Amino acid sequence: MDPVRTSKLLARVLRHDPAAIGITLDPAGWVEVDILLSALRAHGYRLSATELQQLVSASDKQRFALDPLTNRIRANQGHSVEVDLGLPPATPPALLYHGTPVRNLSSILTGGLNRGSRHDVHLSPDVETARRVGARRGRCAVLVVRAGAMHSDGHRFSVSDNGVWLTRQVPARYLSRLGEPEFQASD
Ligand code: HQG
């Protein structure tokens, strides 16, 4: 089992395209592990329940959750299919962060952060995490989100089980670019 390939496959079927292997998710995004594993097998992908458990617990970003009581699995966040994760509203810290490729900056600083095909905009609790997210697609910039002010102004936030902050959109007035290191003149 290749853990990266398997994780990508699981992310695809549990977030975006369950029909690709003929499964359906319940309204909260769960599917029975046995159903998932046999659907994968039917599509030529052998994965044991133990391998699945190991992959879920070793996942660097804790992308998936297993419910041992009901023997079900779901993705913790990142869906584009319609699900209600049932996350309660949460009070964010004063500042959150969002990493994005530099090429998106001017559009975001004008039009705000949009959720695109996902349910929510994803925000990180620290700069390092945001930088990693943005760097997936090339040279990255980090935006500072005045989340506390947004919350006071009535914007709803929640936090996924793996620590990703979620909100529907971020208007541009709450955003600024994290300062670049200052140029040191060497005269
Ligand atoms: C950008 C990964 C132009 C936004 C990560 C981002 C995350 C705009 C891209 C999770 C824009 C959407 C999500 C605007 C937003 N103009 N560009 N107005 N508004 N964008 O992948 O946050 O590995 O849907 O900045 O770690 O990059 O999959 O969102 O660059 O947690 O588990 O549009 O995916 O997790 O891209 O990443 P995405 P994201 P996993």
Side-chain angles (χ1 to χ4, degrees):
M1 193 233 345
D2 172 347
V4 174
R5 183 170 163 243
T6 309
S7 179
K8 286 190 172 169
L9 175 61
L10 289 177
R12 180 177 163 215
V13 300
L14 296 176
R15 287 173 173 173
H16 307 299
D17 194 8
I21 58 165
I23 59 168
T24 48
L25 309 180
D26 83 358
W30 296 99
V31 62
E32 276 180 41
V33 168
D34 297 343
I35 291 176
L36 172 70
L37 295 180
S38 57
L40 287 172
R41 211 163 29 244
H43 286 77
Y45 200 87
R46 295 195 73 80
L47 184 68
S48 73
T50 311
E51 286 171 327
L52 181 68
Q53 271 164 22
Q54 282 165 355
L55 186 136
V56 169
S57 54
S59 165
D60 53 348
K61 290 159 81 177
Q62 293 294 301
R63 291 183 177 89
F64 311 105
L66 277 168
D67 180 347
L69 285 179
T70 55
N71 193 32
R72 295 181 305 169
I73 184 170
R74 75 175 180 183
N76 276 325
Q77 35 67 232
H79 299 79
S80 56
V81 294
E82 193 53 47
V83 290
D84 179 359
L85 294 174
L87 298 172
T91 303
L95 301 179
L96 287 168
Y97 304 90
H98 179 89
T100 192
V102 170
R103 61 178 175 275
N104 293 340
L105 266 184
S106 62
S107 158
I108 293 175
L109 289 171
T110 315
L113 273 173
N114 300 323
R115 64 199 176 99
S117 62
R118 302 200 194 236
H119 274 221
D120 300 280
V121 171
H122 289 209
L123 303 173
S124 305
D126 58 82
V127 174
E128 267 325 297
T129 307
R131 224 185 276 289
R132 271 201 300 278
V133 172
R136 292 178 299 151
R137 302 196 180 103
R139 201 158 71 85
C140 129
V142 173
L143 293 159
V144 182
V145 179
R146 293 191 304 117
M150 277 182 74
H151 187 251
S152 307
D153 292 346
H155 291 263
R156 187 184 186 280
F157 285 79
S158 56
V159 60
S160 70
D161 289 346
N162 59 341
V164 177
W165 283 88
L166 306 168
T167 194
R168 289 305 259 203
Q169 50 113 223
V170 180
R173 65 181 175 282
Y174 298 106
L175 291 168
S176 52
R177 186 179 179 177
L178 189 71
E180 298 277 304
E182 273 180 34
F183 177 69
Q184 298 289 318
S186 57
D187 55 344

